[in-house]
Amino acid sequence: MGKQFLLGNIKVPGIHTYDVYRKHGGYNAAEKALKTQTRDQVIEEVKFSGLRGRGGAGFPSGMKWSFLDQKSDKPRYLVCNADESEPGTFKDRFLMEKLPHLLIEGMIISSYALGAKTSYIYIRGEYMYVLRILEKAILEAYAAGFLGKNILGTDFSLDLYVHPGAGAYICGEETALLESLEGKRGLPRLKPPFPAIAGLYACPTVVNNVETIASVPCIVNISADLYNDIGIGKSTGTKLISASGHINKPGVYEIELGLPVEEFIYSDEYCGGIWKGRSLKAVVAGGSSVPILPANLILKTAKGEPRLMTYESLSDGGFVSGSMLGSGGFIVMDETTCIVRNLWTFARFYHHESCGQCSPCREGTGWMEKVLHRIEHGHGHMSDVDLLVDIAKKIEGNTICPLGDAAAWPVASAIRHFREEFEYHVKYPEKVKDPKHFEKEPFVSEKLERAVH
Ligand SMILES: Cc1cc2nc3c(=O)[nH]c(=O)nc-3n(C[C@H](O)[C@H](O)[C@H](O)COP(=O)(O)O)c2cc1C
């Protein structure tokens, strides 16, 4: 097992309570930061650690913090993005449920560094039971003097609130989230201005993912130097991966960035291989929004190098032969999976979740869903395959927020790598009438190898 900065104590009974968390070194990092480090020193540490946003885009966290408008005399806010609605991603829920105090400690240190006196955790509405766990832990932290006025006798004070969303994927987009937090409909804002200049209530704001914030106490504890040593190149530290699909051991894993994808899928320490002794067909490596890769390209790059679990390696080859680490929602598909059906399911999700503000996304996601539905159900035309590519191209880059891109990329990549399978649906409509068509007889492509272990 690799280094476990986030989940190291996960199996300790009662670790979700203040007393047990504290007994196991919890809040030592908050004490160290508040008592011995200046705000700038903490920001420098986070910058030097190489920590990158764990919410999907992988933007360097220290750099993002340094964009916060320092000249403004308005209040500053830290908002934790706990919306987690990306299909295939469930790591933040696990972290908040099992280690609520780790997130709270991260919020304290990060708010201190940013100069925020009021901070929020915006949590998706479906996680109501996790909200209750967090609220209980927040009360414990107030009682222990880690929240409230003059924390640990310093001049730093912080109030922390949990705010539930109402179940909309779009509210995970940071500006839609801020609108929702202000009590309005969650519609993404035009950028610029970015939240660092005009965020919550038009004040300087940083929005960070749960895992990003929970990584901060680890950096303060072990030092930025040591954190930076773990991982490869610009992918430092550890990352939580939500592994699901056709594997023997689905779950949340903390991996050291740089782990070979093959080891992650096949070793007993992680996913334990493909279930039922079947072979691997495809993987969506970073949540439903990233390009899908066939077995040969997820295990090795187009240059023949082993693919690694890093931001750089997973995107090697761009969108022609690569994908993205994204949120770490790792969805594994075996040989019986119908790629068209899988894509239709994703398309239904994006159509349902599009906020409707931008026509290419509002109309395009609906068209994609319709066209995919008819191909999957044996009513497609050969021209539909290129029609899908055309719709995806018209959405990509033409919307206020990246939800449009998130809907377009999976379609474009699936057709790039699995075109034959789409054409098969059109050519043999009677063979795809049964929704489990490829379970009886997996589709065999001449072009793509399957990974058999
Ligand atoms: C449609 C959409 C949904 C998103 N959902 C989430 C989410 O659930 N959680 C999250 O942390 N980031 C999500 N993001 C990314 C956020 O906009 C933002 O980049 C992120 O919270 C920044 O945190 P980080 O720098 O720590 O990664 C989403 C983006 C889009 C476009």
Side-chain angles (χ1 to χ4, degrees), residues 78-126:
L78 170 65
V79 178
C80 171
N81 189 343
D83 193 60
E84 195 169 59
S85 314
E86 177 86 4
T89 311
F90 41 88
K91 59 168 180 98
D92 294 340
R93 167 169 56 107
F94 184 71
L95 203 144
M96 291 185 287
E97 190 183 328
K98 304 285 179 198
L99 295 160
H101 284 285
L102 181 62
L103 176 61
I104 295 168
E105 188 176 5
M107 289 298 286
I108 295 166
I109 303 170
S110 309
S111 302
Y112 168 70
L114 296 166
K117 295 188 180 113
T118 307
S119 294
Y120 296 92
I121 300 170
Y122 181 96
I123 190 165
R124 74 180 275 191
E126 292 90 337

Side-chain angles (χ1 to χ4, degrees), residues 52 232-235 307-308 310-317:
R52 293 168 67 171
I232 295 183
K234 289 187 177 154
S235 297
R307 187 83 77 179
L308 308 177
T310 63
Y311 293 96
E312 294 75 24
S313 181
L314 278 166
S315 58
D316 188 301

Side-chain angles (χ1 to χ4, degrees), residues 53-55 64 81 83-85 169 172-174 207-209 212 402-403:
R54 304 303 196 214
K64 185 175 189 171
N81 189 343
D83 193 60
E84 195 169 59
S85 314
Y169 173 60
E173 193 283 330
E174 57 185 10
V207 181
N208 271 139
N209 172 257
T212 314
L403 189 144

Side-chain angles (χ1 to χ4, degrees), residues 363-383:
E363 303 299 324
T365 51
W367 273 108
M368 288 199 301
E369 184 197 337
K370 252 187 205 165
V371 175
L372 281 162
H373 178 275
R374 69 175 178 238
I375 300 178
E376 168 60 7
H377 291 85
H379 308 294
H381 314 284
M382 218 30 115
S383 58

Side-chain angles (χ1 to χ4, degrees), residues 128-412:
M128 201 49 88
Y129 74 101
V130 186
L131 175 141
R132 296 208 175 93
I133 293 172
L134 280 172
E135 282 189 335
K136 206 167 164 206
I138 287 174
L139 287 180
E140 289 180 317
Y142 269 105
F146 278 99
L147 285 172
K149 291 224 172 329
N150 301 106
I151 298 173
L152 302 176
T154 66
D155 60 3
F156 173 62
S157 304
L158 177 67
D159 284 315
L160 179 58
Y161 300 94
V162 194
H163 184 97
Y169 173 60
I170 194 62
C171 288
E173 193 283 330
E174 57 185 10
T175 59
L177 183 157
L178 295 174
E179 288 283 298
S180 170
L181 194 50
E182 288 178 7
K184 297 181 229 153
R185 187 173 166 189
L187 298 178
R189 297 175 183 167
L190 275 170
K191 293 190 242 181
F194 289 91
I197 308 296
L200 189 63
Y201 308 120
C203 297
T205 303
V206 164
V207 181
N208 271 139
N209 172 257
V210 170
E211 186 188 345
T212 314
I213 294 172
S215 300
V216 173
C218 317
I219 294 167
V220 172
N221 264 332
I222 66 163
S223 86
D225 260 342
L226 280 183
Y227 193 88
N228 195 292
D229 272 353
I230 294 150
I232 295 183
K234 289 187 177 154
S235 297
T236 66
T238 62
K239 170 95 192 79
L240 296 182
I241 305 291
S242 324
S244 67
H246 301 150
I247 44 178
N248 285 317
K249 289 168 60 192
V252 176
Y253 294 98
E254 181 171 8
I255 58 148
E256 283 187 39
L257 286 166
L259 180 80
V261 172
E262 188 159 3
E263 192 178 331
F264 183 65
I265 298 177
Y266 291 102
S267 107
D268 282 338
E269 231 176 272
Y270 301 104
C271 302
I274 310 302
W275 74 346
K276 302 184 183 177
R278 292 180 184 162
S279 56
L280 173 67
K281 179 170 182 178
V283 170
V284 174
S288 62
S289 305
V290 308
I292 185 171
L293 286 182
N296 55 337
L297 282 175
I298 187 70
L299 299 178
K300 286 202 169 82
T301 66
K303 294 173 215 145
E305 289 161 0
R307 187 83 77 179
L308 308 177
M309 300 287 273
T310 63
Y311 293 96
E312 294 75 24
S313 181
L314 278 166
S315 58
D316 188 301
F319 281 1
V320 176
S321 59
S323 182
M324 290 162 83
L325 179 61
S327 61
F330 200 88
I331 309 168
V332 179
M333 300 175 208
D334 75 17
E335 59 192 318
T336 65
T337 310
C338 170
I339 298 295
V340 179
R341 192 169 191 84
N342 167 260
L343 211 61
W344 169 52
T345 310
F346 284 173
R348 262 161 57 203
F349 172 79
Y350 288 110
H351 181 210
H352 184 262
E353 296 299 330
S354 171
C355 78
Q357 220 179 174
C358 312
S359 317
C361 177
R362 182 185 64 238
E363 303 299 324
T365 51
W367 273 108
M368 288 199 301
E369 184 197 337
K370 252 187 205 165
V371 175
L372 281 162
H373 178 275
R374 69 175 178 238
I375 300 178
E376 168 60 7
H377 291 85
H379 308 294
H381 314 284
M382 218 30 115
S383 58
D384 281 346
V385 185
D386 285 327
L387 177 62
L388 280 171
V389 176
D390 192 41
I391 301 169
K393 268 193 201 146
K394 296 221 161 75
I395 300 176
E396 192 184 345
N398 290 321
T399 52
I400 291 176
C401 90
L403 189 144
D405 301 336
W409 292 338
V411 173

